[in-house]
Amino acid sequence: MASHSLSLASPRIYISTKSQLELGVKSKLFVFGSRGLRKSKTVSLSARAMGSSASSQKPDSTQEAGSADYKAISDEEWKKRLTGEQFYITRQKGTERAFTGEYWNTKTPGTYHCICCDTPLFESSTKFDSGTGWPSYYLPVGNNVKSKVDLSIIFMPRQEVLCAVCDAHLGHVFDDGPPPTGKRFCINSASLKLKPKP
């Protein structure tokens, strides 16, 4: 059960959420006090989930699986190509429950491809056990993964991870991963298709 603490009396607001592992995140917030709206303050967050720390990943080039214009495909067409869960996660930015996805504990050698466009995204050699219940990787394939700021959870800015070819939502990336990158790409199994090594 998560615990939260909030103090508006001091110049800083501290919000902490505790679960399996903690990591720190800082963000700006406007604070209401006895004299009305004051200037922005630093918010310190501690959380372990599929979204808490920011990271910057900018693709330079992409190893595309094909030359199709995936970004022009309508939602109706995606619904025909994907299962309900795959559509919800990749096209509507959903999240599967922890420890329920097909690949969270898979150790099969191979390459994980985008379920929507078949672009190679992660090699099994970069997969590690993060203890979160989602497949986690410390490095994507080339520049086939991109990220952008996700402000969908108040007080918890995150970096959303997308397929660079078709914009499929994959998960989020955090700065608490292992060497050599220090990144944790926390990915929904339903957005992936594992192609085992022969």
Side-chain angles (χ1 to χ4, degrees):
M1 183 89 176
S3 66
H4 304 275
S5 62
L6 177 62
S7 171
L8 290 174
S10 67
R12 285 195 180 115
I13 295 176
Y14 293 97
I15 301 172
S16 65
T17 304
K18 293 184 178 180
S19 59
Q20 292 178 331
L21 183 68
E22 295 185 341
L23 52 107
V25 181
K26 292 193 176 179
S27 181
K28 294 285 183 181
L29 173 69
F30 284 99
V31 179
F32 284 93
S34 57
R35 296 182 200 163
L37 184 65
R38 299 190 320 215
K39 58 178 162 177
S40 64
K41 301 295 178 183
T42 300
V43 176
S44 295
L45 294 178
S46 285
R48 175 64 160 199
M50 201 160 180
S52 54
S53 72
S55 158
S56 61
Q57 298 289 317
K58 294 182 180 177
D60 297 319
S61 63
T62 305
Q63 299 173 11
E64 296 194 24
S67 58
D69 184 7
Y70 291 102
K71 295 174 185 178
I73 296 174
S74 69
D75 280 351
E76 289 308 311
E77 181 59 29
W78 282 123
K79 285 179 184 178
K80 293 175 187 175
R81 296 182 183 201
L82 304 169
T83 67
E85 182 183 33
Q86 290 167 347
F87 178 80
Y88 167 67
I89 288 169
T90 62
R91 309 325 301 182
Q92 296 183 315
K93 303 183 185 301
T95 302
E96 64 198 11
R97 289 191 337 267
F99 303 101
T100 63
E102 180 180 0
Y103 301 124
W104 78 269
N105 200 26
T106 299
K107 299 189 176 23
T108 305
T111 304
Y112 292 86
H113 290 244
C114 176
I115 196 69
C116 296
C117 68
D118 203 33
T119 299
L121 301 174
F122 301 96
E123 293 292 341
S124 60
S125 59
T126 67
K127 191 172 190 279
F128 67 98
D129 184 3
S130 64
T132 61
W134 287 282
S136 298
Y137 310 85
Y138 62 79
L139 183 71
V141 172
N143 291 302
N144 293 352
V145 168
K146 64 182 180 179
S147 68
K148 69 177 185 178
V149 176
D150 176 0
L151 300 174
S152 61
I153 298 179
I154 193 164
F155 303 130
M156 193 184 287
R158 302 176 294 173
Q159 283 295 116
E160 178 188 7
V161 176
L162 303 154
C163 172
V165 175
C166 71
D167 282 342
H169 171 77
L170 306 173
H172 292 86
V173 62
F174 309 101
D175 292 323
D176 62 350
T181 65
K183 301 292 183 188
R184 171 172 59 95
F185 290 84
C186 196
I187 308 298
N188 290 286
S189 290
S191 67
L192 302 173
K193 174 173 51 178
L194 173 60
K195 294 189 176 180
K197 285 186 179 175

